[in-house]
Amino acid sequence: MADSLRKLVNTTCFSVLQDKLESWYKDYHVISCDQNLNRCCELVELTSKIQGQLFTILNLTAREGGHYAGVDILKSRLLPWLGTSFSMATSSVTTDTSLNLIQETVEKERKIRELSASHLNDMQKMETQLCSTRLQLESVKQELEDTHQHLDDTKNMSATTLLATEDEILQMKAELREAQDQVEIYKRKLDVLEDYERQVRRLKDEVCFLTAEKSMLQERLVRSRSPSPLARRSLASSPVRSESPTRAQLTNSSRHARLVSRFSDMYAVERLEAQSLLRRYINDLELVQKIIFIATVEAFQAAKLAYRRFKLRVRKTLSPSHLGQETLEDSVVDYIVRNLDLYDVQAGVNDVINVMNVNPRISLPPEVDYVLIGSFIRETCRVAFAMQTLDPPLDLAFTSDGELYSESKYRRSYDSEFTAPLVVYHVWPALVEGDSVIVKGEAVTRRGALWRSSRSSSPVRSCNGSPTRTLGFSGSRSPSPGRLSTSRL
């Protein structure tokens, strides 16, 4: 009996039964009905096995007590319990086998519990890792979205920067072209300046030669005079006009050559520069050429008018104190030649621009002004003013659209119709001295020019002046065109 009891204690059947009951209690509301019934049957089987072991021990204990030992206990406790219709089937296996089975069951249950616990732990770890992985995934998604947003912003900024850089590059290229144009202009002006310096040196040599010649002629004149006092008194009472030329007369030929050359240079250099400036804003080449031609004509008109006014002011100033041997007219011209820098060129430029603003034959875009070619107008006014000091003065030939083309006055432009007899419009005026042409102009000839000129609302004015134009200093009408071209006033 002691061995059976020891085996029962070693198997810890009651602790296993208690653990199963607690486990069933925890999982009762979680598992299904079939699983609950299955666990209940397991407990009943385990309980029956334990009860079989206990009845075996009870039988062995009763045998050890003798024939009558323990009868009262059996009657008071066992028989009433059996009377409640509880029956226990006799185990078909031996005691040792039953205990081994119980022990194996307990071991299996323990392993199952350990595996379940480890599985739960693994599940919890995997859930934790899954949660952390999800958090990392969300973080990576957020970083990816931020990266996309930053990339879009960078693309937009790069596009904006690229556009700004392209604009800057275009602007710098335009500035570079302008700088190169300015360099070319300065080079041409430097060449012209060198030509001027050579002409100045030549003129200085000529002046020295003429001064020496003048001194020699004066000495001859003094020696040829009569030494009698009567002759001296007659000469003192009535001075004879000196035959020596003035500065204007001495330099007339050199100034004539220089101004003719300068007029040709203006056609070859300044005109093309003004044309390239206007072509940046006006696509119509014909309109650009008309603007430059009208600016040239109006500059000559303004310069001639300014020369007449300036000459009258000088004559009025010198007439009260004129005592020289030369005539007053020669003194006035000589003074103007020596003081050409007193001519108010800016006033002439302003007059030309004002006249061009009201001319219906030409027009500029709203954002552009004729001041754009102000340097060209200024130089033309200066040259035209200096041409009026020559004897005879240089002037521009009379021009009108639709006039008959003259080989002696013009050259045809490259885009002209060489069989057309009439002029459509003029590119550059001809320079004349009296009735002879000094420098040819340029004109465009095409068929249908007469029909065009008949529809023109305002023909180009003659360079010799308009009869209705008045002199600002006296209010009188200007003289006729024929007189203006030959008069020295």
PDB file of all heavy atoms in Angstrom, residues 6 15 29 36 53 70 108 121-122 128 173 204 220 230 242 262-263 270 351 399 421 454 460 467 475 487 489:
ATOM      1  N   ARG A   6       2.962   6.090  -2.571  1.00  0.00           N
ATOM      2  CA  ARG A   6       4.132   6.878  -2.984  1.00  0.00           C
ATOM      3  C   ARG A   6       4.081   7.201  -4.482  1.00  0.00           C
ATOM      4  O   ARG A   6       4.383   8.309  -4.913  1.00  0.00           O
ATOM      5  CB  ARG A   6       5.404   6.070  -2.656  1.00  0.00           C
ATOM      6  CG  ARG A   6       6.696   6.767  -3.050  1.00  0.00           C
ATOM      7  CD  ARG A   6       7.888   5.948  -2.585  1.00  0.00           C
ATOM      8  NE  ARG A   6       7.806   4.586  -3.071  1.00  0.00           N
ATOM      9  CZ  ARG A   6       8.106   4.199  -4.294  1.00  0.00           C
ATOM     10  NH1 ARG A   6       8.517   5.088  -5.172  1.00  0.00           N
ATOM     11  NH2 ARG A   6       8.008   2.921  -4.648  1.00  0.00           N
ATOM     12  N   SER A  15      -2.193  18.046  -8.613  1.00  0.00           N
ATOM     13  CA  SER A  15      -1.701  19.351  -9.109  1.00  0.00           C
ATOM     14  C   SER A  15      -1.995  19.504 -10.606  1.00  0.00           C
ATOM     15  O   SER A  15      -2.357  20.581 -11.088  1.00  0.00           O
ATOM     16  CB  SER A  15      -0.202  19.481  -8.837  1.00  0.00           C
ATOM     17  OG  SER A  15       0.506  18.449  -9.523  1.00  0.00           O
ATOM     18  N   HIS A  29     -14.391  30.963 -21.889  1.00  0.00           N
ATOM     19  CA  HIS A  29     -15.171  31.909 -22.705  1.00  0.00           C
ATOM     20  C   HIS A  29     -14.508  32.196 -24.054  1.00  0.00           C
ATOM     21  O   HIS A  29     -15.064  32.953 -24.858  1.00  0.00           O
ATOM     22  CB  HIS A  29     -15.354  33.216 -21.953  1.00  0.00           C
ATOM     23  CG  HIS A  29     -16.153  33.060 -20.686  1.00  0.00           C
ATOM     24  ND1 HIS A  29     -17.516  32.842 -20.686  1.00  0.00           N
ATOM     25  CD2 HIS A  29     -15.774  33.049 -19.379  1.00  0.00           C
ATOM     26  CE1 HIS A  29     -17.962  32.727 -19.449  1.00  0.00           C
ATOM     27  NE2 HIS A  29     -16.913  32.846 -18.614  1.00  0.00           N
ATOM     28  N   ASN A  36     -14.635  22.872 -24.994  1.00  0.00           N
ATOM     29  CA  ASN A  36     -14.985  22.809 -23.562  1.00  0.00           C
ATOM     30  C   ASN A  36     -15.391  21.400 -23.147  1.00  0.00           C
ATOM     31  O   ASN A  36     -14.974  20.878 -22.097  1.00  0.00           O
ATOM     32  CB  ASN A  36     -16.104  23.795 -23.261  1.00  0.00           C
ATOM     33  CG  ASN A  36     -15.611  25.240 -23.237  1.00  0.00           C
ATOM     34  OD1 ASN A  36     -14.468  25.480 -22.851  1.00  0.00           O
ATOM     35  ND2 ASN A  36     -16.465  26.170 -23.647  1.00  0.00           N
ATOM     36  N   GLN A  53      -7.108   4.674  -8.523  1.00  0.00           N
ATOM     37  CA  GLN A  53      -5.936   4.491  -7.692  1.00  0.00           C
ATOM     38  C   GLN A  53      -6.293   4.590  -6.209  1.00  0.00           C
ATOM     39  O   GLN A  53      -5.788   3.805  -5.372  1.00  0.00           O
ATOM     40  CB  GLN A  53      -4.881   5.555  -8.073  1.00  0.00           C
ATOM     41  CG  GLN A  53      -4.350   5.442  -9.494  1.00  0.00           C
ATOM     42  CD  GLN A  53      -3.561   4.180  -9.703  1.00  0.00           C
ATOM     43  OE1 GLN A  53      -2.888   3.663  -8.776  1.00  0.00           O
ATOM     44  NE2 GLN A  53      -3.653   3.611 -10.890  1.00  0.00           N
ATOM     45  N   GLY A  70     -11.935  -0.805  10.111  1.00  0.00           N
ATOM     46  CA  GLY A  70     -12.425   0.202   9.175  1.00  0.00           C
ATOM     47  C   GLY A  70     -13.838   0.011   8.716  1.00  0.00           C
ATOM     48  O   GLY A  70     -14.266   0.665   7.770  1.00  0.00           O
ATOM     49  N   LYS A 108       3.291  15.268 -21.135  1.00  0.00           N
ATOM     50  CA  LYS A 108       2.809  15.831 -22.387  1.00  0.00           C
ATOM     51  C   LYS A 108       2.096  17.151 -22.169  1.00  0.00           C
ATOM     52  O   LYS A 108       2.279  18.106 -22.934  1.00  0.00           O
ATOM     53  CB  LYS A 108       1.886  14.836 -23.081  1.00  0.00           C
ATOM     54  CG  LYS A 108       2.618  13.606 -23.635  1.00  0.00           C
ATOM     55  CD  LYS A 108       1.644  12.686 -24.343  1.00  0.00           C
ATOM     56  CE  LYS A 108       2.383  11.471 -24.911  1.00  0.00           C
ATOM     57  NZ  LYS A 108       1.457  10.546 -25.618  1.00  0.00           N
ATOM     58  N   ASN A 121       4.907  33.502 -26.435  1.00  0.00           N
ATOM     59  CA  ASN A 121       5.998  34.477 -26.364  1.00  0.00           C
ATOM     60  C   ASN A 121       6.479  34.863 -27.767  1.00  0.00           C
ATOM     61  O   ASN A 121       6.738  36.029 -28.064  1.00  0.00           O
ATOM     62  CB  ASN A 121       7.154  33.899 -25.553  1.00  0.00           C
ATOM     63  CG  ASN A 121       6.805  33.772 -24.087  1.00  0.00           C
ATOM     64  OD1 ASN A 121       5.998  34.543 -23.571  1.00  0.00           O
ATOM     65  ND2 ASN A 121       7.405  32.791 -23.403  1.00  0.00           N
ATOM     66  N   ASP A 122       6.626  33.796 -28.612  1.00  0.00           N
ATOM     67  CA  ASP A 122       7.036  34.088 -29.980  1.00  0.00           C
ATOM     68  C   ASP A 122       6.017  34.964 -30.702  1.00  0.00           C
ATOM     69  O   ASP A 122       6.386  35.893 -31.446  1.00  0.00           O
ATOM     70  CB  ASP A 122       7.227  32.783 -30.757  1.00  0.00           C
ATOM     71  CG  ASP A 122       8.398  31.973 -30.227  1.00  0.00           C
ATOM     72  OD1 ASP A 122       9.269  32.580 -29.557  1.00  0.00           O
ATOM     73  OD2 ASP A 122       8.434  30.744 -30.474  1.00  0.00           O
ATOM     74  N   THR A 128       5.227  42.364 -31.566  1.00  0.00           N
ATOM     75  CA  THR A 128       6.011  43.571 -31.235  1.00  0.00           C
ATOM     76  C   THR A 128       6.868  44.001 -32.423  1.00  0.00           C
ATOM     77  O   THR A 128       6.938  45.181 -32.777  1.00  0.00           O
ATOM     78  CB  THR A 128       6.889  43.291 -30.006  1.00  0.00           C
ATOM     79  OG1 THR A 128       6.073  42.834 -28.931  1.00  0.00           O
ATOM     80  CG2 THR A 128       7.632  44.553 -29.597  1.00  0.00           C
ATOM     81  N   LYS A 173      24.273  88.185 -73.093  1.00  0.00           N
ATOM     82  CA  LYS A 173      24.629  88.119 -74.507  1.00  0.00           C
ATOM     83  C   LYS A 173      24.283  89.419 -75.215  1.00  0.00           C
ATOM     84  O   LYS A 173      25.060  89.920 -76.046  1.00  0.00           O
ATOM     85  CB  LYS A 173      23.908  86.950 -75.164  1.00  0.00           C
ATOM     86  CG  LYS A 173      24.481  85.583 -74.806  1.00  0.00           C
ATOM     87  CD  LYS A 173      23.760  84.478 -75.550  1.00  0.00           C
ATOM     88  CE  LYS A 173      24.357  83.107 -75.227  1.00  0.00           C
ATOM     89  NZ  LYS A 173      23.646  82.018 -75.935  1.00  0.00           N
ATOM     90  N   LYS A 204      47.596 122.830 -90.002  1.00  0.00           N
ATOM     91  CA  LYS A 204      48.540 123.696 -89.292  1.00  0.00           C
ATOM     92  C   LYS A 204      49.721 124.048 -90.194  1.00  0.00           C
ATOM     93  O   LYS A 204      50.163 125.221 -90.226  1.00  0.00           O
ATOM     94  CB  LYS A 204      49.030 122.994 -88.034  1.00  0.00           C
ATOM     95  CG  LYS A 204      47.994 122.957 -86.915  1.00  0.00           C
ATOM     96  CD  LYS A 204      48.572 122.293 -85.670  1.00  0.00           C
ATOM     97  CE  LYS A 204      47.545 122.294 -84.539  1.00  0.00           C
ATOM     98  NZ  LYS A 204      48.075 121.633 -83.318  1.00  0.00           N
ATOM     99  N   ARG A 220      55.803 143.285 -99.170  1.00  0.00           N
ATOM    100  CA  ARG A 220      55.828 143.813-100.527  1.00  0.00           C
ATOM    101  C   ARG A 220      54.888 144.994-100.665  1.00  0.00           C
ATOM    102  O   ARG A 220      55.200 145.983-101.349  1.00  0.00           O
ATOM    103  CB  ARG A 220      55.427 142.725-101.512  1.00  0.00           C
ATOM    104  CG  ARG A 220      56.461 141.624-101.675  1.00  0.00           C
ATOM    105  CD  ARG A 220      55.964 140.573-102.664  1.00  0.00           C
ATOM    106  NE  ARG A 220      56.942 139.502-102.826  1.00  0.00           N
ATOM    107  CZ  ARG A 220      56.731 138.429-103.592  1.00  0.00           C
ATOM    108  NH1 ARG A 220      55.575 138.315-104.281  1.00  0.00           N
ATOM    109  NH2 ARG A 220      57.662 137.504-103.684  1.00  0.00           N
ATOM    110  N   LEU A 230      51.905 163.202 -98.483  1.00  0.00           N
ATOM    111  CA  LEU A 230      50.556 163.395 -98.987  1.00  0.00           C
ATOM    112  C   LEU A 230      49.864 162.059 -99.197  1.00  0.00           C
ATOM    113  O   LEU A 230      48.692 161.881 -98.874  1.00  0.00           O
ATOM    114  CB  LEU A 230      50.616 164.191-100.306  1.00  0.00           C
ATOM    115  CG  LEU A 230      49.258 164.506-100.944  1.00  0.00           C
ATOM    116  CD1 LEU A 230      48.412 165.348 -99.979  1.00  0.00           C
ATOM    117  CD2 LEU A 230      49.442 165.226-102.282  1.00  0.00           C
ATOM    118  N   SER A 242      42.308 145.682 -97.332  1.00  0.00           N
ATOM    119  CA  SER A 242      43.434 144.749 -97.473  1.00  0.00           C
ATOM    120  C   SER A 242      43.033 143.589 -98.362  1.00  0.00           C
ATOM    121  O   SER A 242      41.911 143.105 -98.326  1.00  0.00           O
ATOM    122  CB  SER A 242      43.847 144.234 -96.092  1.00  0.00           C
ATOM    123  OG  SER A 242      44.838 143.263 -96.235  1.00  0.00           O
ATOM    124  N   ARG A 262      33.562 113.847 -94.200  1.00  0.00           N
ATOM    125  CA  ARG A 262      32.761 113.510 -93.004  1.00  0.00           C
ATOM    126  C   ARG A 262      31.346 113.119 -93.382  1.00  0.00           C
ATOM    127  O   ARG A 262      30.753 112.214 -92.768  1.00  0.00           O
ATOM    128  CB  ARG A 262      32.708 114.724 -92.053  1.00  0.00           C
ATOM    129  CG  ARG A 262      32.022 114.427 -90.731  1.00  0.00           C
ATOM    130  CD  ARG A 262      32.887 113.534 -89.881  1.00  0.00           C
ATOM    131  NE  ARG A 262      32.182 113.089 -88.697  1.00  0.00           N
ATOM    132  CZ  ARG A 262      31.573 111.906 -88.579  1.00  0.00           C
ATOM    133  NH1 ARG A 262      31.601 111.065 -89.598  1.00  0.00           N
ATOM    134  NH2 ARG A 262      30.967 111.573 -87.468  1.00  0.00           N
ATOM    135  N   PHE A 263      30.765 113.773 -94.386  1.00  0.00           N
ATOM    136  CA  PHE A 263      29.421 113.407 -94.842  1.00  0.00           C
ATOM    137  C   PHE A 263      29.411 111.979 -95.395  1.00  0.00           C
ATOM    138  O   PHE A 263      28.470 111.208 -95.146  1.00  0.00           O
ATOM    139  CB  PHE A 263      28.963 114.414 -95.909  1.00  0.00           C
ATOM    140  CG  PHE A 263      27.550 114.228 -96.358  1.00  0.00           C
ATOM    141  CD1 PHE A 263      26.487 114.684 -95.597  1.00  0.00           C
ATOM    142  CD2 PHE A 263      27.263 113.581 -97.560  1.00  0.00           C
ATOM    143  CE1 PHE A 263      25.175 114.515 -96.020  1.00  0.00           C
ATOM    144  CE2 PHE A 263      25.962 113.394 -97.983  1.00  0.00           C
ATOM    145  CZ  PHE A 263      24.904 113.862 -97.212  1.00  0.00           C
ATOM    146  N   GLU A 270      27.789 106.151 -89.204  1.00  0.00           N
ATOM    147  CA  GLU A 270      26.725 106.564 -88.287  1.00  0.00           C
ATOM    148  C   GLU A 270      25.334 106.139 -88.762  1.00  0.00           C
ATOM    149  O   GLU A 270      24.474 105.778 -87.957  1.00  0.00           O
ATOM    150  CB  GLU A 270      26.762 108.085 -88.080  1.00  0.00           C
ATOM    151  CG  GLU A 270      27.771 108.570 -87.062  1.00  0.00           C
ATOM    152  CD  GLU A 270      29.151 108.686 -87.644  1.00  0.00           C
ATOM    153  OE1 GLU A 270      29.312 108.295 -88.829  1.00  0.00           O
ATOM    154  OE2 GLU A 270      30.072 109.158 -86.938  1.00  0.00           O
ATOM    155  N   ASP A 351      14.688 120.371 -81.760  1.00  0.00           N
ATOM    156  CA  ASP A 351      13.817 120.821 -82.850  1.00  0.00           C
ATOM    157  C   ASP A 351      13.561 119.697 -83.856  1.00  0.00           C
ATOM    158  O   ASP A 351      12.431 119.497 -84.314  1.00  0.00           O
ATOM    159  CB  ASP A 351      14.446 122.028 -83.561  1.00  0.00           C
ATOM    160  CG  ASP A 351      14.496 123.254 -82.671  1.00  0.00           C
ATOM    161  OD1 ASP A 351      13.714 123.299 -81.690  1.00  0.00           O
ATOM    162  OD2 ASP A 351      15.303 124.157 -82.943  1.00  0.00           O
ATOM    163  N   THR A 399      14.399 116.680-102.782  1.00  0.00           N
ATOM    164  CA  THR A 399      13.908 115.302-102.929  1.00  0.00           C
ATOM    165  C   THR A 399      12.393 115.276-102.783  1.00  0.00           C
ATOM    166  O   THR A 399      11.809 116.099-102.073  1.00  0.00           O
ATOM    167  CB  THR A 399      14.514 114.383-101.857  1.00  0.00           C
ATOM    168  OG1 THR A 399      14.183 114.900-100.558  1.00  0.00           O
ATOM    169  CG2 THR A 399      16.006 114.273-102.001  1.00  0.00           C
ATOM    170  N   PRO A 421      11.766 103.640-113.397  1.00  0.00           N
ATOM    171  CA  PRO A 421      12.275 105.001-113.620  1.00  0.00           C
ATOM    172  C   PRO A 421      12.009 105.958-112.459  1.00  0.00           C
ATOM    173  O   PRO A 421      12.562 107.053-112.443  1.00  0.00           O
ATOM    174  CB  PRO A 421      11.512 105.455-114.865  1.00  0.00           C
ATOM    175  CG  PRO A 421      10.203 104.731-114.760  1.00  0.00           C
ATOM    176  CD  PRO A 421      10.470 103.422-114.096  1.00  0.00           C
ATOM    177  N   SER A 454       1.320 109.442-105.165  1.00  0.00           N
ATOM    178  CA  SER A 454       0.053 110.172-105.239  1.00  0.00           C
ATOM    179  C   SER A 454      -0.821 109.902-104.037  1.00  0.00           C
ATOM    180  O   SER A 454      -1.646 110.724-103.653  1.00  0.00           O
ATOM    181  CB  SER A 454      -0.691 109.771-106.527  1.00  0.00           C
ATOM    182  OG  SER A 454      -1.020 108.379-106.467  1.00  0.00           O
ATOM    183  N   VAL A 460       8.086 114.372 -98.480  1.00  0.00           N
ATOM    184  CA  VAL A 460       9.262 114.851 -97.748  1.00  0.00           C
ATOM    185  C   VAL A 460       9.569 116.280 -98.148  1.00  0.00           C
ATOM    186  O   VAL A 460       9.537 116.637 -99.308  1.00  0.00           O
ATOM    187  CB  VAL A 460      10.468 113.939 -98.081  1.00  0.00           C
ATOM    188  CG1 VAL A 460      11.703 114.423 -97.350  1.00  0.00           C
ATOM    189  CG2 VAL A 460      10.146 112.507 -97.726  1.00  0.00           C
ATOM    190  N   PRO A 467       8.762 127.220 -97.512  1.00  0.00           N
ATOM    191  CA  PRO A 467       8.437 128.643 -97.602  1.00  0.00           C
ATOM    192  C   PRO A 467       7.616 129.128 -96.424  1.00  0.00           C
ATOM    193  O   PRO A 467       7.602 130.309 -96.139  1.00  0.00           O
ATOM    194  CB  PRO A 467       7.641 128.748 -98.911  1.00  0.00           C
ATOM    195  CG  PRO A 467       7.938 127.502 -99.660  1.00  0.00           C
ATOM    196  CD  PRO A 467       8.275 126.466 -98.680  1.00  0.00           C
ATOM    197  N   GLY A 475      10.562 136.822 -86.993  1.00  0.00           N
ATOM    198  CA  GLY A 475       9.163 136.611 -87.328  1.00  0.00           C
ATOM    199  C   GLY A 475       8.870 136.730 -88.787  1.00  0.00           C
ATOM    200  O   GLY A 475       7.724 136.626 -89.212  1.00  0.00           O
ATOM    201  N   SER A 487      22.768 131.404-100.837  1.00  0.00           N
ATOM    202  CA  SER A 487      23.033 132.612-100.046  1.00  0.00           C
ATOM    203  C   SER A 487      23.980 132.301 -98.899  1.00  0.00           C
ATOM    204  O   SER A 487      23.926 131.244 -98.316  1.00  0.00           O
ATOM    205  CB  SER A 487      21.720 133.153 -99.494  1.00  0.00           C
ATOM    206  OG  SER A 487      21.966 134.205 -98.613  1.00  0.00           O
ATOM    207  N   LEU A 489      24.250 134.742 -96.395  1.00  0.00           N
ATOM    208  CA  LEU A 489      23.690 135.528 -95.291  1.00  0.00           C
ATOM    209  C   LEU A 489      24.775 135.930 -94.315  1.00  0.00           C
ATOM    210  O   LEU A 489      24.875 135.374 -93.254  1.00  0.00           O
ATOM    211  CB  LEU A 489      22.606 134.719 -94.587  1.00  0.00           C
ATOM    212  CG  LEU A 489      21.304 134.568 -95.364  1.00  0.00           C
ATOM    213  CD1 LEU A 489      20.326 133.756 -94.559  1.00  0.00           C
ATOM    214  CD2 LEU A 489      20.704 135.907 -95.698  1.00  0.00           C
TER     215      LEU A 489
END
